[in-house]
Structures are given as structure tokens and as C-alpha cells.
Amino acid sequence: VVRNILSGARTEDRRPVKPQPEPGHTLHTHWNDSWKPRPRLRASWEYWSGPVFDGRPEGHLGGLCRAVAPWSPGDVLYVRETWRSVGWRPENGHWIEYADGVKRWADAPADTLSIDVANPAHPERWRPSIHMPKWAARIHLRVLSVGVERVGDITEAGARAEGCAGRPGIHPIAEFRELWNRIYPASKDAKPWAWCDKETPWVWVTKFERVTP
């Protein structure tokens, strides 16, 4: 993921709508203007059915379930990756090294001196991406648009924008499907997010651009 973003090969992101509608349901989307600081896309679907709704006006929704997109156009996100602090100076902050060997100074709060370099029990230890604070990140992304679709409706252009250019004998969409099912494998205990041959899960589709921190 990090490599594809750094190279410019990845400019889109897909992740499951949570919760997922029951099979056969259609999503209705609208922008929630009350969400601050920016409007947020909301997906709604009817979860009741039966005679009680027979003859209702077109477009009328009975019982509703809703999901809200994780971010809005204009939001700036940061990408977490494996990292470590290999030095610190009061005037510069932390000297950060990333898994690909790149190093940079990261302006950090003074109280972060306690991490790694000041801990003799764990000198310069690598930290997993989930523990990366925003000040240590080198990759920042501005959200351009947010939409919703079924993951199985992805186009070749969409697969390529996800960083899947294809391999000999493997179409970009097939490569993306492999990647998706590695992240969201199918099993009897799994959430309904795997890409199977039936209805594929609904996903948030985010387009983004890289910006300078």
C-alpha cells in the first residue's frame, strides 16, 4: 500500500460499508449536512419488508438502517506505516526511519522524547504501523470524493487506481479480487465482506491525492 501511494500508482481506496445490508437490498445515499466540519455521505436501506409496506408511495422508506462514510471530501488523512525513531534533537524533533530505509526529521511534541531513544531497554526498536502517531507520518492524503458501490462493480480503471496493474495472465480486476479476499477472507465465521460469486459487498469508494505534510 505504502509503495503504491509513494509511486503514485494508488489513488483510490475501497473498504466495506459497516454494517452491510441484507442480500437484495438497495442503498439510498444522501449527504448529511449536519455532520461537522464537513458534510458526510450517508447510506440508508430498508430492512423491513412484507405486506405492511404494500402500496406505500414510491421512494418511501419504512424501517431504516444507516451507515456513514468514514470521512468527507476535503479531509486530510495520514497513512500509518512501520517506523522507528533513531535520534532526537530539541531543535528538530525525531529522526524517523521508515521500513523502506527513508529517514526524515519529524517535528514532534517535547514529551515524545521518552519513546525509543530514551529507553535503553528498547533502543531504536521498530514500531508497527498501528502505533504511528500523526506527527511521525510522511504520507498525507486529501480526500477528493467519496461514493458507494458494490466491490464487484469495480472497473479496470478502478482496479488500477487501487494499485493493481495486473500480472501476466492476471487481469487487474482479478488481481484486486485476490487482494480483497486476502484482506477479507470468506469463512463461516467471517463478516459478510468477502468477494464471492453472489452479491458482492457494498463499499465506500474514496478518491484521494497526496499532499505535502
Side-chain angles (χ1 to χ4, degrees), residues 13-56:
D13 173 82
R14 285 164 175 77
R15 57 190 59 202
V17 171
K18 300 178 183 179
Q20 284 282 309
E22 293 294 324
H25 287 63
T26 300
L27 292 186
H28 304 264
T29 59
H30 69 279
W31 290 94
N32 183 354
D33 294 332
S34 64
W35 197 280
K36 303 299 181 183
R38 300 178 182 87
R40 191 71 65 90
L41 185 64
R42 173 181 284 180
S44 305
W45 59 93
E46 186 178 348
Y47 68 90
W48 288 347
S49 61
V52 68
F53 290 107
D54 289 346
R56 65 189 184 280

Side-chain angles (χ1 to χ4, degrees), residues 131-199:
H131 293 155
M132 172 175 271
K134 187 174 183 178
W135 57 260
R138 59 172 168 166
I139 303 175
H140 291 71
L141 308 174
R142 179 184 291 115
V143 176
L144 300 176
S145 66
V146 181
V148 66
E149 68 181 22
R150 288 193 182 276
V151 69
D153 292 336
I154 191 171
T155 63
E156 179 177 345
R160 291 183 180 276
E162 285 272 1
C164 296
R167 309 188 301 274
I170 303 295
H171 191 275
I173 294 178
E175 182 181 10
F176 176 75
R177 179 173 180 172
E178 291 177 358
L179 173 63
W180 181 271
N181 281 337
R182 284 200 301 271
I183 300 172
Y184 305 106
S187 73
K188 64 179 181 179
D189 299 321
K191 301 292 184 181
W193 302 328
W195 183 338
C196 58
D197 292 330
K198 298 179 181 180
E199 286 188 346

Side-chain angles (χ1 to χ4, degrees), residues 52-135:
V52 68
F53 290 107
D54 289 346
R56 65 189 184 280
E58 183 178 353
H60 170 75
L61 298 178
L64 290 180
C65 190
R66 297 183 177 92
V68 180
W71 35 67
S72 302
D75 287 352
V76 176
L77 317 175
Y78 74 96
V79 178
R80 293 183 173 95
E81 53 183 311
T82 303
W83 67 291
R84 65 177 177 173
S85 176
V86 294
W88 186 86
R89 292 178 182 173
E91 68 274 18
N92 297 114
H94 280 277
W95 185 237
I96 302 296
E97 181 179 6
Y98 304 94
D100 60 2
V102 173
K103 297 178 182 179
R104 63 183 284 269
W105 286 108
D107 188 17
D111 60 2
T112 61
L113 174 59
S114 62
I115 68 171
D116 294 343
V117 293
N119 187 344
H122 303 286
E124 301 181 0
R125 69 184 178 92
W126 287 100
R127 291 174 170 266
S129 59
I130 59 172
H131 293 155
M132 172 175 271
K134 187 174 183 178
W135 57 260

